[in-house]
Amino acid sequence: MDQVDVTACERCPALVDCRSRIVNGDGPLDADLCLVGEAPGAREDEEGRPFVGRSGSVLDEVLREVGPGREAVRIVNCVRCRPPENRDPSAGELANCRSYLERELAAVDPAVVVTLGKVPAEHLLGESVAVTKAAGGVREARVGDRSYRVVVSVHPAATLYDDTQREPFEAALATAADLAGVTDDTDGDGQSRLGEF
Ligand code: URA
């Protein structure tokens, strides 16, 4: 168990009723790249890891394409418990979970944070964000008492409903990997991942 894991929390009654477990962050605590999603879905709630459903398959595939691979990045959600019917987390739920996210980002201290979708973009940037327009943009976000370089991205699920979102999704992750300096081959097979495009 990581020192940033939450083992017990009862702050959000609706989420406590819905969840099977708390879904903590996943991946190395010294990662240069940290991806922030919205909240666990059904598969994540079952398995206890973020992004293990269909969105997670797309995310894993694109991370492999742009270089680091999932094993090299930290992945965490704004909210650690599954909302009922996969609704968006409420402002109160986001606020309740914020200190855990702040603690995790401070521990990882990544060179770059990627927001996956509208909810994490707005949560970290503290403003309304039109994600399809903002995707690929590089911003600065104050989270707790630290600042992070943030790359805005569409959510991987968007690519499942709309083919045209695949390219901006790949481009945002490629920008983030490049800024974080993690585009090298990391699985030791000697193949440059960028060369696969
Ligand atoms: N969507 C998210 O935002 N997070 C997950 O963990 C899974 C799907």
Side-chain angles (χ1 to χ4, degrees):
M1 187 185 302
D2 292 328
Q3 81 253 20
V4 292
D5 284 356
V6 178
T7 52
C9 181
E10 309 275 321
R11 292 179 187 174
C12 305
L15 305 194
V16 171
D17 281 353
C18 176
R19 75 179 180 208
S20 314
R21 69 198 85 245
I22 296 170
V23 179
N24 286 303
D26 186 40
L29 274 175
D30 61 352
D32 291 320
L33 194 53
C34 182
L35 311 188
V36 180
E38 179 179 320
R43 283 290 304 282
E44 290 76 21
D45 178 68
E46 260 170 50
E47 290 193 29
R49 284 178 75 208
F51 284 98
V52 289
R54 288 178 68 210
S55 302
S57 302
V58 176
L59 182 60
D60 292 358
E61 196 179 299
V62 174
L63 281 171
R64 238 180 292 122
E65 285 172 3
V66 302
R70 180 179 174 120
E71 311 67 45
V73 305
R74 185 80 185 171
I75 306 179
V76 65
N77 283 307
C78 293
V79 161
R80 293 177 192 237
C81 300
R82 182 189 179 198
E85 276 116 45
N86 297 333
R87 64 159 169 74
D88 285 354
S90 69
E93 290 160 354
L94 286 164
N96 286 342
C97 222
R98 179 141 182 138
S99 59
Y100 303 138
L101 181 61
E102 287 178 3
R103 182 177 67 183
E104 179 139 354
L105 289 177
V108 177
D109 194 23
V112 177
V113 172
V114 180
T115 53
L116 299 171
K118 188 175 180 67
V119 167
E122 295 190 339
H123 190 48
L124 293 193
L125 295 173
E127 63 189 58
S128 152
V129 179
V131 167
T132 46
K133 280 197 191 140
V138 184
R139 301 281 308 271
E140 206 69 23
R142 189 100 192 139
V143 184
D145 58 3
R146 301 198 188 196
S147 287
Y148 300 90
R149 186 182 261 189
V150 170
V151 174
V152 176
S153 172
V154 297
H155 194 280
T159 70
L160 297 169
Y161 307 118
D162 178 358
D163 284 353
T164 67
Q165 295 304 309
R166 174 82 183 204
E167 196 279 324
F169 180 57
E170 289 174 348
L173 289 199
T175 297
D178 193 29
L179 282 175
V182 291
T183 50
D184 290 343
D185 168 50
T186 50
D187 65 2
D189 70 355
Q191 302 294 308
S192 158
R193 294 302 174 196
L194 286 172
E196 290 175 8
F197 280 122

